[in-house]
Amino acid sequence: MVGTGGDWRVTFRPDIPSPARIYDYLLGGKDNYPADREAAEEILTAAPDARTSALENRAFMRRAVRYLAAEAGIRQFIDIGTGLPTQGNVHEMAQIYAPEARVVYVDNDPVVLAHDRSMLHGVANTAIIEQELRRPARILADGELAKLIDFEEPAGLLLGAIMHFIADADDPAGLITRLLDGLAPGSYLVLSHGTADSRP
Ligand SMILES: C[S@@+](CC[C@H](N)C(=O)[O-])C[C@H]1O[C@@H](n2cnc3c(N)ncnc32)[C@H](O)[C@@H]1O
């Protein structure tokens, strides 16, 4: 997997598989390289249902955003580990039901950042910021995020298929707690996580 440099920023290495690009390949996307496709095929050999899991995860995220925007009255979203653009991105789903919905995307992968910036160019009420889930205080203090997120108003915090990349040593539960502590009461957490439950 893509490694981190001296600081927390992920370096661009097309020759080393990245989670975002493997996931893109599993979803049928085109923003991936031979190393990602090889890794994905190895994953599919070991876990043939990985593609179904990826597609079902996306469907879950779309349903969750629809619920928050259409039924729970949520008008602002923070999507950490957003991934490469695909069908039914968070702002597209949310703005169907609440055109004024604001969405801040967060990722640490330079390929994701480049593609998402291109997708979001000129799209009102959206932003993509380069931040690292293991630095929750920096995410909450980000100036671009503060332009769209009102910390006095409930928000939807989305952590779709990202927590399984966080090692126990990095205190995944503590990271989530610190993020939620920064949000207003009435906020929602949407979380999906890889599991081996179907293959005991
Ligand atoms: C499998 S994709 C999930 C995409 C989307 N959330 C979904 O559920 O469809 C995981 C994303 O998390 C990002 N990611 C992984 N570790 C991260 C970290 N520590 N900080 C920020 N983003 C991270 C990857 O770059 C990738 O875009």
Side-chain angles (χ1 to χ4, degrees):
M1 293 293 172
V2 171
T4 50
D7 61 15
W8 53 267
R9 285 189 165 79
V10 172
T11 45
F12 173 57
R13 289 288 304 268
D15 55 323
I16 300 178
S18 94
R21 299 189 319 245
I22 292 172
Y23 186 64
D24 175 68
Y25 177 75
L26 292 174
L27 290 177
K30 58 176 179 38
D31 300 319
N32 48 72
Y33 299 98
D36 307 306
R37 298 192 277 276
E38 271 171 41
E41 290 299 336
E42 276 185 47
I43 290 170
L44 286 167
T45 301
D49 52 3
R51 176 162 283 136
T52 304
S53 300
L55 291 166
E56 287 300 324
N57 178 64
R58 271 320 292 181
F60 163 71
M61 295 304 289
R62 287 195 295 269
R63 288 195 303 276
V65 171
R66 184 181 63 211
Y67 171 77
L68 293 185
E71 297 188 38
I74 294 297
R75 294 291 176 267
Q76 50 179 4
F77 298 82
I78 304 173
D79 180 16
I80 305 182
T82 175
L84 286 153
T86 182
Q87 287 193 339
N89 296 292
V90 171
H91 71 284
E92 293 163 337
M93 290 305 295
Q95 291 176 354
I96 289 174
Y97 303 99
E100 73 279 30
R102 288 131 28 224
V103 180
V104 176
Y105 293 103
V106 182
D107 213 286
N108 67 354
D109 182 320
V111 175
V112 171
L113 294 163
H115 283 276
D116 284 10
R117 279 187 190 119
S118 163
M119 167 182 75
L120 297 174
H121 183 72
V123 180
N125 289 334
T126 63
I128 168 89
I129 60 171
E130 180 182 16
Q131 288 291 351
E132 156 64 57
L133 173 56
R134 286 168 291 186
R135 305 282 188 278
R138 286 198 202 184
I139 294 175
L140 294 172
D142 188 287
E144 289 301 307
L145 182 138
K147 287 181 188 166
L148 290 177
I149 301 299
D150 177 354
F151 290 104
E152 302 297 316
E153 180 192 320
L157 173 64
L158 313 182
L159 294 170
I162 182 173
M163 291 314 299
H164 42 235
F165 298 116
I166 303 297
D168 287 353
D170 286 320
D171 185 20
L175 296 177
I176 296 172
T177 301
R178 287 197 281 286
L179 287 166
L180 290 176
D181 282 350
L183 302 181
S187 294
Y188 284 78
L189 169 65
V190 174
L191 192 153
S192 62
H193 198 291
T195 171
D197 287 0
S198 66
R199 300 162 50 81

